Amino acid sequence: MVKVKIPATSANLGSGFDALGLSLTLYNYLEIEENDRLEITSTDSVRIPKNEQNLVYKTVKYLYDVCGRPLSGLKIKQTNNIPLARGLGSSSACIVGGLLAANHLMGCPLSDDELLGFAATLEGHPDNAAPALLGGLVTAVIEDGRVYHVKQTIKDDLMFAAFIPDFELKTSKARGVIPQEVSHRDAVFNLSRAALMSVSLYSGDYQNLRAACGDRLHQQYRLPLIRGAQQIFNMACDFGAYAAFISGAGPTVMAIVNTDLFDFEGKAAAWLKENSMAGWQLRMLSIDNRGAAVKLD
Ligand code: HSE
């Protein structure tokens, strides 16, 4: 049996649309073994497909097919702590977990780089898949099925305050509102900030983060889909966060906060209550610099 632990991820970081992502201390777990038929269980009440539509199963089957290996069935046990369709990488966790499990069940015929290529191709973009697999902050580009990437280990003096609403937002819907064309000026606006974000997080020059989060490619179009998000952006910055951004395609709003800011969590939680934002849950997370982990039993 293979056990896999896969972290949640937060993609884009404002300016780095489809290119930047980081890994967080919130985990899904999978236990997978070969079986004569398909049996899927979960250890929690999260509603997941229990048939061949299950994303973990589909991913394992895909990799077996790629490697030309027969698969009669699987036993899959899922623990789903990463909320679904909230911009925290729940589908990447299924894909990365399924690929790692399949590779180990087959005796590791594929390298991590090959797995990353499959993960990013199955997802369509590498910004969740790469940090879920590798951990840390990952800058990634996909070209011809190959992922060119750099993983940076981030210091543990930052907290990531995830404001998670009680409603879902499908990535397809959140991508559907983004214009197909952008001006040269807006492209430059984002690419300069994405570069600044990557190096500033790595070097600890956190005073740059507010400017580095600036974005003209996606957030302004997505904000109207996320009732309350703009107020949370403003509140988080008022309470001392370095920056706030829509996590992935949303609807979670992520604020970057120094660990020295002891009162941030209490003040933000009180603000949510006072402002009738009871549907929003606050989770204080840290960077996960390790990425997905596999254990063979
Ligand atoms: N970068 C993607 C988007 C989501 O913003 O639509 C994460 O893969």
Side-chain angles (χ1 to χ4, degrees):
M1 182 208 284
V2 180
K3 296 182 177 176
V4 194
K5 175 183 174 185
I6 318 104
T9 49
S10 187
N12 298 334
L13 286 81
S15 50
F17 182 72
D18 279 1
L20 296 180
L22 49 80
S23 175
L24 294 166
T25 51
L26 171 67
Y27 301 96
N28 277 4
Y29 297 89
L30 296 173
E31 291 181 20
I32 304 187
E33 59 189 310
E34 288 190 12
N35 198 30
D36 52 9
R37 60 199 169 84
L38 180 59
E39 278 178 57
I40 302 174
T41 54
S42 59
T43 60
D44 47 49
S45 55
V46 177
R47 286 165 61 90
I48 52 163
K50 304 267 170 77
N51 56 22
E52 296 191 346
Q53 292 312 307
N54 179 285
L55 186 53
V56 175
Y57 170 75
K58 285 205 296 192
T59 307
V60 174
K61 175 83 173 92
Y62 169 84
L63 206 63
Y64 269 68
D65 287 348
V66 166
C67 295
R69 299 277 284 261
L71 181 68
S72 46
L74 285 176
K75 236 185 227 180
I76 302 176
K77 185 153 84 172
Q78 292 186 220
T79 301
N80 310 286
N81 295 317
I82 307 171
L84 303 178
R86 298 301 203 288
L88 290 167
S90 61
S91 50
S92 273
C94 291
I95 291 170
V96 166
L99 290 172
L100 280 171
N103 196 38
H104 277 78
L105 287 171
M106 292 188 290
C108 295
L110 300 169
S111 68
D112 277 357
D113 268 1
E114 288 171 314
L115 292 181
L116 180 55
F118 286 122
T121 307
L122 289 171
E123 266 279 277
H125 17 84
D127 50 347
N128 280 126
L133 187 65
L134 303 170
L137 168 70
V138 183
T139 307
V141 169
I142 185 165
E143 196 170 288
D144 299 330
R146 178 166 168 200
V147 180
Y148 297 85
H149 64 277
V150 172
K151 168 194 169 173
Q152 293 158 295
T153 297
I154 302 300
K155 289 200 279 280
D156 60 3
D157 55 357
L158 292 177
M159 294 181 292
F160 293 83
F163 295 88
I164 309 168
D166 58 5
F167 54 87
E168 298 185 351
L169 177 56
K170 297 275 184 226
T171 299
S172 51
K173 182 171 177 188
R175 290 181 86 82
V177 297
I178 299 172
Q180 295 294 310
E181 309 282 337
V182 299
S183 68
H184 188 272
R185 205 168 46 174
D186 287 352
V188 171
F189 184 96
N190 268 67
L191 70 85
S192 51
R193 282 163 178 76
L196 186 66
M197 172 59 80
S198 169
V199 291
S200 299
L201 273 177
Y202 181 62
S203 62
D205 288 300
Y206 301 141
Q207 74 284 355
N208 292 336
L209 295 182
R210 183 78 58 92
C213 253
D215 158 62
R216 290 189 183 160
L217 298 187
H218 67 111
Q219 295 191 133
Q220 62 188 299
Y221 307 105
R222 290 171 163 177
L223 276 172
L225 303 176
I226 313 172
R227 198 165 17 87
Q230 184 64 61
Q231 292 93 305
I232 290 177
F233 267 64
N234 299 344
M235 172 272 286
C237 292
D238 288 350
F239 288 160
Y242 288 122
F245 56 91
I246 297 175
S247 182
T252 292
V253 174
M254 193 68 71
I256 309 178
V257 180
N258 197 289
T259 46
D260 285 349
L261 210 54
F262 302 117
D263 58 354
F264 182 88
E265 182 177 6
K267 281 164 80 173
W271 184 92
L272 290 175
K273 257 193 198 151
E274 284 156 19
N275 289 275
S276 308
M277 307 277 266
W280 290 76
Q281 185 200 357
L282 171 57
R283 298 279 309 254
M284 299 302 290
L285 304 171
S286 304
I287 190 93
D288 167 307
N289 279 309
R290 181 172 174 191
V294 180
K295 199 172 139 211
L296 290 174
D297 257 14

